[in-house]
């Protein structure tokens, strides 16, 4: 960086010399060649456009999404059944593109139609490998449906569904391309898990084992990777809603509980468990309730056959109904959503320090984004998929996807204003010199 | 027609056409809506039977000995198109409001 004199060509043909500066910036995306007028991009989140009413307007809530390639996002959601009976639910998908902060629907359809039951169904997407995903659907009857989804180009294919009874709080955690850990809670209140196998689109059940003491009421349960062969179970039971943890070891097809304990004796800390996101080093990030009416992000660490909470940050004084999802951005920072606050929150993790960077309102037209989930695109873009309650009389929820872009400080080719002129080539990863007015 | 029953409760899980068996031996049933659904062989049973009119999945049970019979645990879904939990919450809130009105002596 340094100071310089910039020649400014006047309207009369004369030349004025003004103070300028040479500063270094990265390109917001791609690369920018030398002698290009650029505009400044501040760090923050830019709001893009949305695609609303992707669903026909079901009375259900379940929704999930996952980034499937650089600019594609797969969304699954519950919707009205085609038989017109409000006692039934349809499970649908939409393949979305994220380009220039705009969402387009590339393909959509139903993969299960007219399933008996309405209400708080849950859907989950988990990546087996790029282009191949596990889909888990909980019907309000307590039946769970698992199936394999594959994507090629703009074509989405689903295998036949595997139906499982007495299966509440289902959750899939891929172990390899041929195995996944499947956890659930049964009617008796046991948190259980087994290793299931995948062969093409054929799914084979494993033998589920009880991992924790049984409780009469299980409000929530989630499972996620916390180390090699180690998995973290988070469970909320009964009226106290304390957070219980279960450290799980998986060896081959064998599943066992290493440690079961009450992690927090603070009421409601087990509420709204959203996501468990593995960050390496026997550590995982968790988004969940931080006590009544609060949502926090936590770091859990597994060591010496025990799991402990090593850090936490309250993200918002708001609840996160049905939890959220943690999305790792290309620069190593994280993005998540909080439903009641109707916000997407950007945060970073450095050792045991969690720092909130910024946040953005997801939808100005609704006070809460029911079951909002998040997925990463390219160039800092991400999509928030949620159910927008636009019709309070009929209680209908409309699946909506909205594009955002997380910006690092940098420059982009000038469109609306001129901030400076590039002196040499700059890219997204390599800064270059830019002449700017001092 | 083929039916699938739950081994524990004998409730009817599926009624449809047997499409195929997966390589792991699980039968795949295509139901009247075109859904293809497989069922684990360790917890369910598959039968090829004549299905009388009016028999519905979940609402009925079946065993080879007893034939089709009503599921004793069947409850009609609520007609409001919302979850049972929400219906219960609305009922409880309404009862609480009425109780409060009675205690306070209001007639609204």
């Amino acid at each position: 960086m340094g100071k310089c004199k910039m020649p400014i060509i006047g309207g009369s043909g004369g030349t004025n010399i003004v103070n300028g500066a040479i500063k270094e910036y990265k390109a917001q995306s791609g690369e920018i060649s030398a002698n290009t007028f650029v505009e400044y991009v501040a760090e923050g989140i830019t709001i893009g456009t949305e695609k609303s009413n992707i669903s026909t307007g079901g009375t259900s809530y379940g929704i999930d999404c996952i980034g499937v390639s650089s600019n594609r996002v797969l969304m699954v959601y519950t919707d009205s059944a085609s038989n017109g009976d409000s006692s039934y639910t349809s499970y649908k998908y939409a393949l979305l593109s994220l380009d220039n902060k705009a969402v387009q629907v590339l393909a959509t359809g139903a993969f299960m139609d007219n399933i008996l039951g309405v209400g708080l169904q849950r859907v989950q997407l988990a990546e087996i490998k790029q282009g191949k995903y596990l889909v888990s659907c909980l019907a309000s009857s307590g039946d769970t449906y698992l199936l394999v989804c594959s994507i090629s180009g703009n074509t989405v294919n689903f295998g036949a569904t595997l139906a499982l009874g007495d299966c509440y709080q289902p959750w899939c955690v891929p172990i390899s391309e041929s195995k996944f850990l499947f956890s659930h809670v049964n009617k008796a209140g046991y948190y259980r898990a087994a290793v299931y196998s995948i062969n093409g689109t054929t799914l084979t059940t494993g033998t589920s084992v009880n991992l924790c003491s049984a409780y009469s009421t299980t409000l929530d349960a989630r499972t996620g990777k916390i180390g090699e062969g180690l998995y973290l179970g988070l469970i909320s039971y009964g009226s106290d809603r304390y957070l219980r943890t279960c450290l799980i070891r998986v060896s081959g097809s064998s599943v066992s509980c290493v440690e079961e304990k009450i992690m927090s004796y603070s009421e409601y800390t087990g509420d709204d468990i959203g996501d468990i996101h593995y960050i390496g080093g026997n550590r995982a990030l968790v988004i969940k309730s931080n006590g009544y009416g609060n949502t926090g992000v936590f770091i859990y660490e597994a060591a010496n056959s025990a799991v402990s909470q090593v850090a936490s940050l309250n993200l918002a004084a708001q609840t996160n109904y049905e939890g959220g999802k943690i999305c790792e951005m290309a620069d190593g920072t994280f993005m998540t959503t909080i439903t009641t606050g109707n916000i997407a929150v950007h945060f970073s993790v450095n050792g045991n320090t969690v720092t909130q960077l910024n946040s953005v309102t997801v939808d100005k037209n609704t006070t809460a984004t029911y079951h909002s989930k998040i997925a990463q695109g390219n160039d800092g873009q991400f999509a928030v998929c949620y159910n927008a309650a636009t019709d309070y009389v009929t209680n209908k929820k409309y699946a909506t996807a909205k594009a955002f872009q997380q910006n690092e400080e940098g420059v982009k080719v000038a469109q609306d204003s001129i901030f400076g002129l590039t002196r040499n080539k700059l890219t997204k990863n390599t800064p270059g010199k830019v002449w700017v007015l001092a | 027609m083929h039916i699938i029953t739950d081994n524990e409760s004998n409730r009817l899980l599926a009624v449809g056409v047997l499409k195929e068996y997966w390589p792991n031996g699980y039968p795949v049933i295509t139901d009247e809506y075109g859904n293809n659904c497989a069922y684990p062989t360790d917890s369910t049973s598959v039968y090829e039977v004549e299905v009388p009119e009016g028999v519905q999945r979940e609402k009925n049970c079946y065993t080879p000995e007893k034939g089709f019979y009503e599921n004793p645990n069947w409850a009609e879904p609520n007609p409001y198109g919302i979850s049972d939990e929400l219906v219960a919450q609305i009922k409880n809130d309404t009862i609480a409001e009425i109780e409060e009105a009675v205690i306070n002596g209001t007639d609204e």
Side-chain angles (χ1 to χ4, degrees), chain B:
Chain B
M1 295 289 271
H2 284 79
I3 62 168
I4 301 286
T5 60
D6 173 48
N7 286 351
E8 198 174 306
S9 63
N10 298 320
R11 70 191 169 107
L12 211 53
L13 300 177
V15 179
V17 177
L18 178 65
K19 185 189 179 201
E20 60 180 348
Y21 282 93
W22 270 354
N24 56 13
Y26 295 179
V28 178
I29 301 291
T30 304
D31 70 13
E32 61 180 307
Y33 302 111
N35 296 311
N36 295 315
C37 203
Y39 293 84
T41 46
D42 58 350
S43 58
T44 63
S45 298
V46 57
Y47 301 100
E48 185 174 10
V49 291
E50 287 293 321
V51 180
E53 204 170 315
V55 164
Q56 290 179 27
R57 60 183 295 268
E58 304 287 349
K59 194 173 183 177
N60 292 92
C61 297
Y62 175 85
T63 64
E65 298 76 26
K66 294 167 73 173
F68 290 98
Y69 59 97
E70 200 166 300
N71 180 356
N73 297 317
W74 168 253
E76 287 287 344
N78 77 70
Y80 308 112
I82 56 177
S83 69
D84 291 340
E85 293 86 349
L86 191 54
V87 171
Q89 187 183 331
I90 291 169
K91 279 182 181 173
N92 291 338
D93 289 349
T94 306
I95 290 167
E97 280 179 22
I98 292 169
E99 284 175 347
E100 191 178 347
V102 170
I103 291 167
N104 294 334
T106 56
D107 57 359
E108 285 186 307

Side-chain angles (χ1 to χ4, degrees), chain A residues 84-325:
Chain A
D85 188 331
S86 62
S87 302
Y88 288 74
T89 295
S90 181
Y91 294 79
K92 296 182 180 177
Y93 75 92
L95 182 63
L96 311 169
S97 68
L98 276 182
D99 287 309
N100 299 318
K101 302 190 294 294
V103 173
Q104 295 296 328
V105 177
L106 303 173
T108 187
F111 57 90
M112 283 199 300
D113 201 5
N114 301 309
I115 303 298
L116 184 65
V118 295
L120 305 178
Q121 298 95 337
R122 173 182 296 164
V123 290
Q124 185 215 350
L125 281 165
E127 183 179 87
I128 302 167
K129 63 174 185 178
Q130 188 170 21
K132 192 173 181 182
Y133 307 89
L134 273 168
V135 187
S136 161
C137 306
L138 170 68
S140 52
S141 60
D143 291 331
T144 284
Y145 301 91
L146 302 180
L147 63 164
V148 172
C149 159
S150 59
I151 299 175
S152 178
N154 289 347
T155 305
V156 184
N157 291 306
F158 291 87
T161 304
L162 174 65
L164 304 167
D166 189 14
C167 226
Y168 299 84
Q169 309 291 345
W171 207 252
C172 298
V173 186
I175 297 172
S176 67
E177 289 183 23
S178 61
K179 290 194 296 187
F180 66 101
L181 184 66
F182 177 70
S183 67
H184 71 280
V185 174
N186 66 6
K187 256 184 270 183
Y190 286 101
Y191 171 64
R192 296 156 62 80
V195 174
Y196 283 26
S197 63
I198 311 162
N199 182 6
T201 58
T202 298
L203 301 172
T204 303
T205 58
T207 304
S208 289
V209 294
N210 296 336
L211 292 170
C212 288
S213 317
Y215 289 82
S216 57
T217 309
T218 302
L219 296 168
D220 214 344
R222 288 285 193 283
T223 309
K225 183 176 177 178
I226 195 168
E228 293 308 318
L230 286 174
Y231 296 83
L232 174 65
L234 300 177
I235 311 111
S236 173
Y237 283 125
S239 57
D240 59 27
R241 302 185 184 181
Y242 296 157
L243 180 73
R244 270 82 171 174
T245 55
C246 179
L247 184 60
I248 304 162
R249 189 181 306 282
V250 175
S251 178
S253 59
S254 165
V255 180
S256 59
C257 174
V258 178
E259 182 204 44
E260 174 195 0
K261 70 178 175 189
I262 296 177
M263 177 63 76
S264 167
Y265 283 93
S266 182
E267 279 190 319
Y268 303 106
T269 51
D271 273 12
D272 300 322
I273 305 165
D275 197 12
I276 301 171
H277 184 91
Y278 179 56
I279 54 173
N282 281 7
R283 289 150 68 95
L285 296 177
V286 171
I287 182 161
K288 66 170 188 68
S289 166
N290 192 22
Y292 186 74
N294 286 280
T295 294
V297 62
F298 301 77
I299 302 176
Y300 286 90
E301 187 171 276
N304 299 321
S305 302
V307 65
S308 59
Q309 179 185 309
V310 295
S312 70
L313 174 71
N314 204 61
L315 291 180
Q318 279 142 350
T319 51
N320 204 12
Y321 189 59
E322 253 295 287
K325 195 165 188 173

